[in-house]
Every structure is written in C-alpha cells, then in structure tokens.
Amino acid sequence: MSTALMTCQPAHERHGSAWSYVSPSRLGCWLRCPLAFKFRYIDGIRSPTTPSLFVGKMCHSGLEAFYRHRQLGIALDAEDVAKRMIDGWDETVTEEGMRFETESDEMKAKLKVVDLVAAYLAHVPEDEPRPLAVEATMEAPLIDPFTGEDLGISLLGIVDLVLDEQQGPVIADFKTTARGGTPAEITHEIQLSSYAYLFRQLDGRKEAGLEIRSLIKAKTPRIEFHHYDARSDTHFKRLFGVIREYLDALDSGRFNFRPGWGCSMCDHRDTHCRRWCG
Ligand code: SF4
C-alpha cells in the first residue's frame, strides 16, 4: 500500500477545523444529531472520556502493538501485549484526562482490557496473513465516482487493520462493545463505505470485503468477527449523498437539534442543549 497520503486543495473558501476534512466519525456524529455535532466540532466542547471509551482505546493500543509487530514478522504473545498496555496506561490516562472514581474501578478496567485482548489473540488463527496496514491514517480527495466532481475537501479516516487475505484485501475495524450479536450492517455503513473509498483511492485495488471485529465486554470476554461484502455502487452513491448534505449544512451553518434515543447518552442534554433555542 502506498504510504503517501493524498490531500487536496479546497475548491472554495472554508476555514476552521470542521472544514479541514470530512471523516466517518464527523459524519456519524452529524447524522445522529447536528446540534451535538456543532457543540463538538464547531464550538469545540469536548466530552469527558468515559471508562468505557478508555477501555476501547487501550484495547486498540494493544491490538495495534500486536499487528505492528506482525507486520515485521514478530509474534507477540498475550503476556507481551498486556505488558505494553499496562506500561502505557498512566500516560494514556493523563493524555485523555481520564478520571476513575476509585482505584478499584481503575484496576477492574485494567483487568478487562488485558482479558479482552487475550481473548482476541486466542481467537485469531495463527496463520492469519500479515497486515498490509495497521492503524493507518488514510486521506484522499473526495471526488464523486459517478460525476467526477471534486467536492473540494478530503476524506480522512484511521483504518485499524487491512489484511492481505487470499481472496484480496480485507479491511477490519475493532469495536469494544457491551453486547454480542450480528450488528445491523446499516449502523456501520458510513464507516465501512468511507474506509473502502479511502482504500481504493490509495491502493488502487478493490477490497475483497470488510469486517467488524467485536471484543465483547461480557463477564467472560467473547470475540465475534462479522464479515461484509465489498462496497457496491449503491453504497458509494449513498455515502456521497450524505457527504453533500453534510457539506451543505456546514456551509449554511444550520445545525438543528434531533431529539431521540441518543439523548439519553448525550453529555449536552442538561446543559448546552437545554439552553439552545435555534
Ligand atoms: S440532548 Fe439530544 S437533541 Fe440535544 S444535543 Fe444531545 S443528542 Fe442532540
């Protein structure tokens, strides 16, 4: 895979961080609630890192260490990976401004991370192919594949893993989740289509498929791999339809609230959102 990142010159005047690039997480946030997106990406109001997010971040760091070594032909075992995660724990706590309520909560989180990653390593086949890319920042200009129009902004995503499988490249994303079961494909569609677009732009090949690899935070951690087909023209038409609407919202500065199920988990519910009046 090319390591050079493709960037673009904005076609028209945009300024500020929200206009610097489009990403699957920004699109996902805006789709869930435009007002919550505004608080986060326009007003720069950061939500505190929760223990659950922190566990996910640490699991990602362990899997990144494991696969970066695999790229070099070095096999780390679960103990090696656990040591690396624990060694980097305090630094990440500081970087993220993470606050555990008690020492016991922090210890439980450490054990959870170690157990989840050990379960993952026990699950992957020993002959899993070497990765083509690990925790790779991919950036490419957004050019509508159907009209050739350059949207004047780039798409940026951080792809957890690309494996050189026999049938072709497979793009995988790690998720730490409370429950198992096959996730509805549509809930991950924007992310999967974005990663496929980036991979094709940078590598020149079509992906053979995509995977969500779930690390399930059950009492006894479980691992599930969910496979999805290569993206179709329909997926890319839908993705670009969403991106165009998103860019229109940025340009018009209209970010309405979208009350719904997500409000129960929103940090702005009783503060900024309550004061907002359109
Ligand atoms: S509380 Fe609900 S409507 Fe308000 S910003 Fe959060 S998600 Fe949006």
Side-chain angles (χ1 to χ4, degrees):
M1 158 169 284
S2 163
T3 52
L5 301 180
M6 292 197 276
T7 55
C8 64
Q9 292 297 317
H12 51 92
E13 282 286 310
R14 289 197 173 109
H15 53 85
S17 61
W19 284 264
S20 52
Y21 59 84
V22 178
S23 72
S25 49
R26 290 176 179 200
L27 288 172
C29 179
W30 173 76
L31 283 167
R32 282 190 294 279
C33 176
L35 182 61
F37 169 88
K38 175 184 178 292
F39 291 147
R40 168 74 181 79
Y41 292 104
I42 308 287
D43 302 339
I45 302 167
R46 301 298 299 258
S47 298
T49 302
T50 62
S52 172
L53 283 175
F54 191 79
V55 163
K57 189 169 183 63
M58 292 309 297
C59 287
H60 269 75
S61 77
L63 296 178
E64 180 184 350
F66 173 74
Y67 280 113
R68 284 209 189 279
H69 281 79
R70 273 202 57 103
Q71 272 187 309
L72 302 171
I74 302 166
L76 295 183
D77 63 21
E79 219 172 292
D80 294 327
V81 177
K83 183 170 181 328
R84 283 163 194 276
M85 291 189 297
I86 299 305
D87 286 350
W89 186 274
D90 289 345
E91 196 181 328
T92 314
V93 164
T94 307
E95 276 170 12
E96 295 292 314
M98 180 64 217
R99 291 193 196 289
F100 290 97
E101 284 196 7
T102 64
E103 277 184 30
S104 156
D105 286 350
E106 183 166 6
M107 187 51 69
K108 279 186 201 153
K110 276 186 188 172
L111 290 174
K112 185 158 282 184
V113 165
V114 168
D115 288 349
L116 281 165
V117 172
Y120 179 92
L121 299 186
H123 187 87
V124 286
E126 273 184 24
D127 61 350
E128 186 179 55
R130 270 197 204 182
L132 287 169
V134 178
E135 197 73 9
T137 301
M138 297 186 185
E139 184 171 5
L142 277 165
I143 298 170
D144 189 317
F146 305 99
T147 65
E149 185 190 351
D150 185 340
L151 301 193
I153 193 164
S154 59
L155 179 67
L156 186 148
I158 299 174
V159 175
D160 289 338
L161 183 66
V162 184
L163 290 167
D164 199 8
E165 299 277 6
Q166 217 169 12
Q167 70 273 26
V170 171
I171 302 167
D173 189 67
F174 305 128
K175 303 254 182 249
T176 47
T177 167
R179 282 186 206 84
T182 307
E185 183 173 351
I186 196 168
T187 58
H188 300 298
E189 182 174 327
I190 294 294
Q191 188 182 29
L192 297 177
S193 301
S194 295
Y195 289 170
Y197 175 83
L198 287 167
F199 180 76
R200 292 183 194 193
Q201 291 289 313
L202 295 170
D203 187 273
R205 285 182 290 169
K206 180 178 171 179
E207 74 287 354
L210 301 108
E211 278 181 0
I212 298 287
R213 297 186 163 193
S214 301
L215 286 73
I216 301 153
K217 297 179 280 185
K219 204 167 178 187
T220 305
R222 292 201 322 278
I223 307 300
E224 291 177 1
F225 288 3
H226 302 286
H227 191 85
Y228 304 97
D229 291 340
R231 298 296 85 180
S232 65
D233 282 357
T234 303
H235 288 117
F236 290 119
K237 274 192 183 139
R238 286 153 65 106
L239 174 65
F240 272 77
V242 166
I243 291 170
R244 283 176 185 279
E245 201 176 321
Y246 165 82
L247 293 175
D248 286 348
L250 284 191
D251 283 339
S252 69
R254 290 181 61 191
F255 303 102
N256 278 315
F257 83 144
R258 193 166 293 167
W261 294 109
C263 298
S264 60
M265 293 175 294
C266 180
D267 290 321
H268 307 298
R269 188 184 60 234
D270 298 321
T271 52
H272 306 94
C273 183
R274 192 175 287 274
R275 293 193 289 272
W276 178 79
C277 62

